[in-house]
Amino acid sequence: MAAQVRYCFITEWLDPNSGVLWKHQLFYYPQSKEVEMNDVKNRRVFLKRTIYEQIKEEQLYLGASVNVFGRRLTITEFGDEYTRKKFESKSERTLAMVKPDAFKNLGKIVYAIQQAGFSINNMRVCKLSKEEAEEFYDVHRGKPFYNNLTNFMSSGRICALELVAPDAIRKWRALIGPTDSNQARAEAPETLRAYFGTDKTYNACHGSDAPDTAAYESNFFFGPGRLPGRCDLGRGTTLCVIKPHLVADRAAGLVIDLIQESFSVLAAQLFTLDPAASAEFYEVYKGVLPAGEFNVMVEELISGPCIAIEVADRDGSPCVESFRELVGPSDPELGRVLRPQSLRAKFGVSKIRNGVHCTDLPEDGELEVQYFFSILALSKMQ
């Protein structure tokens, strides 16, 4: 009988109560869907080998956050040479960007990204200032197109994404196609620039061209202390959270696309919540729902990355109630009867794994948006 495959990673976990940073060996057994953890410092077993089906192999790469029984672990190193050889080539990163001219098609582009096999490690919707656009494109300073390019890139919202995949840089540039959108339509008609671009400047998407460029560009948007182009409004808007099970199922782009058909996306960001943040966000439901149901809601929200979106009505009207109509009843089965075109009817699996969260009460819209885009986003910078 062949030996069972085992992967080993070194992870870090910051204890929110003590502030102590713990290092663990995380062992993952893909065939049996089991995990095991050892305390590195004290050289003892922390978690005995046990079944944990929430982890998928594609989530395991350097820098990734994985949730194991309520602990958000950051993978910092490969734990042995076998794991390094298996995963190192899968962990290349690149910086992708949806430009202002294609932002209205953000959902379609995110869907194409996920269907192409990329993992989204970071994601933020921004509106760069002229100075921030000049900083990002500093390598082109002095070139004839520099002023027009930076004016364009600061003219509207963009979405920056850090993508992970084997050969990610080449793969993303192949997906977006030639720089000139007209050339893309002639030579690579199935690429994103062919579909959504106009010309050589208004060409829908950006992609890093080399590993050092990818590192610089990702750090520009997602590095410590960085929050360029913050664009959340925080008033007259509502919150949508695409839950972890839809992100894992690569359906987030479909949800964003349906939102963009009727509403405006003002801000969006990928988050991986810990138990304390999830429980705090859902605190309004504590005491209203049975304790067991509340705990399961919290556990679902920390089971993987989620995408928070600030949603606005296109004419500026309050939108909590109108957006809740698009989302539908909390129970997807009921939604499939009463509102079959609602988001939860289309994407929900159960009352807990119901696809998306939305703000329920008009007075809570501002509070929920601020929780994600002020409190959590600022803490994530540190």
Side-chain angles (χ1 to χ4, degrees):
M1 182 180 294
Q4 190 173 50
V5 173
R6 186 190 75 173
Y7 303 129
C8 178
F9 301 89
I10 304 299
T11 68
E12 292 182 348
W13 173 64
L14 181 65
D15 187 330
N17 297 316
S18 67
V20 175
L21 187 67
W22 293 93
K23 280 195 171 186
H24 297 99
Q25 286 178 307
L26 172 66
F27 298 103
Y28 176 64
Y29 301 83
Q31 292 151 311
S32 59
K33 306 296 183 185
E34 293 176 301
V35 295
E36 181 181 2
M37 292 173 64
N38 289 340
D39 181 337
V40 172
K41 181 181 179 181
N42 297 307
R43 298 184 179 181
R44 63 187 182 192
V45 174
F46 180 79
L47 174 69
K48 291 183 179 180
R49 184 171 169 177
T50 185
I51 293 175
Y52 190 72
E53 297 184 346
Q54 287 87 332
I55 289 181
K56 295 183 179 180
E57 192 170 319
E58 65 191 38
Q59 298 173 307
L60 302 174
Y61 54 86
L62 295 187
S65 291
V66 293
N67 190 287
V68 179
F69 293 110
R71 285 179 170 81
R72 188 177 68 185
L73 309 176
T74 300
I75 299 175
T76 59
E77 303 173 49
F78 298 116
D80 56 35
E81 194 60 26
Y82 175 78
T83 304
R84 181 187 303 278
K85 289 180 179 178
K86 174 71 176 179
F87 285 88
E88 194 166 37
S89 65
K90 295 183 177 182
S91 300
E92 186 172 81
R93 302 179 187 213
T94 191
L95 191 282
M97 189 158 48
V98 179
K99 296 184 178 183
D101 60 319
F103 187 77
K104 61 183 178 291
N105 293 303
L106 175 62
K108 293 180 176 65
I109 294 172
V110 170
Y111 183 66
I113 287 170
Q114 292 192 299
Q115 293 305 300
F118 291 96
S119 294
I120 300 175
N121 192 52
N122 276 303
M123 172 181 173
R124 276 191 64 234
V125 166
C126 323
K127 188 180 185 304
L128 298 178
S129 66
K130 172 72 168 174
E131 293 73 22
E132 288 169 332
E134 289 176 343
E135 180 186 354
F136 182 81
Y137 284 107
D138 189 63
V139 67
H140 296 305
R141 193 180 295 271
K143 295 179 180 178
F145 58 82
Y146 178 72
N147 192 53
N148 285 340
L149 175 63
T150 54
N151 282 337
F152 165 53
M153 291 303 297
S154 58
S155 67
R157 282 175 169 76
I158 63 167
C159 184
L161 305 102
E162 185 182 46
L163 307 181
V164 180
D167 200 15
I169 294 171
R170 183 206 60 79
K171 185 176 180 180
W172 171 241
R173 289 176 71 82
L175 182 61
I176 62 178
T179 301
D180 188 329
S181 303
N182 291 314
Q183 181 184 352
R185 279 185 279 275
E187 299 177 4
E190 298 301 312
T191 59
L192 295 178
R193 283 172 171 159
Y195 282 123
F196 304 118
T198 302
D199 53 31
K200 198 170 183 177
T201 299
Y202 293 73
N203 61 357
C205 298
H206 165 89
S208 305
D209 59 5
D212 57 344
T213 310
Y216 167 80
E217 292 178 346
S218 291
N219 188 69
F220 178 89
F221 286 103
F222 306 114
R226 299 287 304 174
L227 199 66
R230 182 176 172 182
C231 59
D232 52 293
L233 183 61
R235 60 183 184 277
T237 58
T238 190
L239 182 76
C240 173
V241 179
I242 302 177
K243 293 188 174 182
H245 72 95
L246 280 193
V247 177
D249 289 344
R250 302 182 179 276
L254 296 175
V255 175
I256 295 170
D257 191 45
L258 289 172
I259 292 172
Q260 288 186 299
E261 286 185 2
S262 304
F263 295 88
S264 296
V265 170
L266 297 190
Q269 188 166 346
L270 187 85
F271 292 91
T272 303
L273 273 60
D274 58 30
S278 180
E280 186 176 29
F281 176 66
Y282 278 141
E283 189 174 15
V284 66
Y285 299 101
K286 197 171 186 177
V288 177
L289 297 174
E293 187 173 333
F294 176 81
N295 291 337
V296 174
M297 282 177 59
V298 169
E299 290 172 5
E300 160 59 20
L301 199 55
I302 66 173
S303 64
C306 63
I307 299 175
I309 304 171
E310 183 182 20
V311 178
D313 190 275
R314 287 178 176 168
D315 65 8
S317 300
C319 61
V320 171
E321 294 182 357
S322 58
F323 184 69
R324 197 173 67 239
E325 290 182 8
L326 174 64
V327 170
S330 59
D331 187 341
E333 290 298 330
L334 184 61
R336 283 186 267 275
V337 175
L338 299 179
R339 291 185 189 159
Q341 298 305 309
S342 67
L343 296 180
R344 285 170 173 161
K346 291 182 176 181
F347 300 105
V349 177
S350 65
K351 195 172 181 181
I352 301 299
R353 302 176 77 231
N354 59 0
V356 298
H357 163 88
C358 70
T359 306
D360 285 322
L361 302 175
E363 58 267 29
D364 289 338
E366 183 175 335
L367 293 174
E368 292 196 350
V369 168
Q370 288 180 352
Y371 185 75
F372 272 92
F373 294 102
S374 293
I375 297 172
L376 293 184
L378 292 175
S379 68
K380 191 176 181 183
M381 289 173 56
Q382 301 171 359

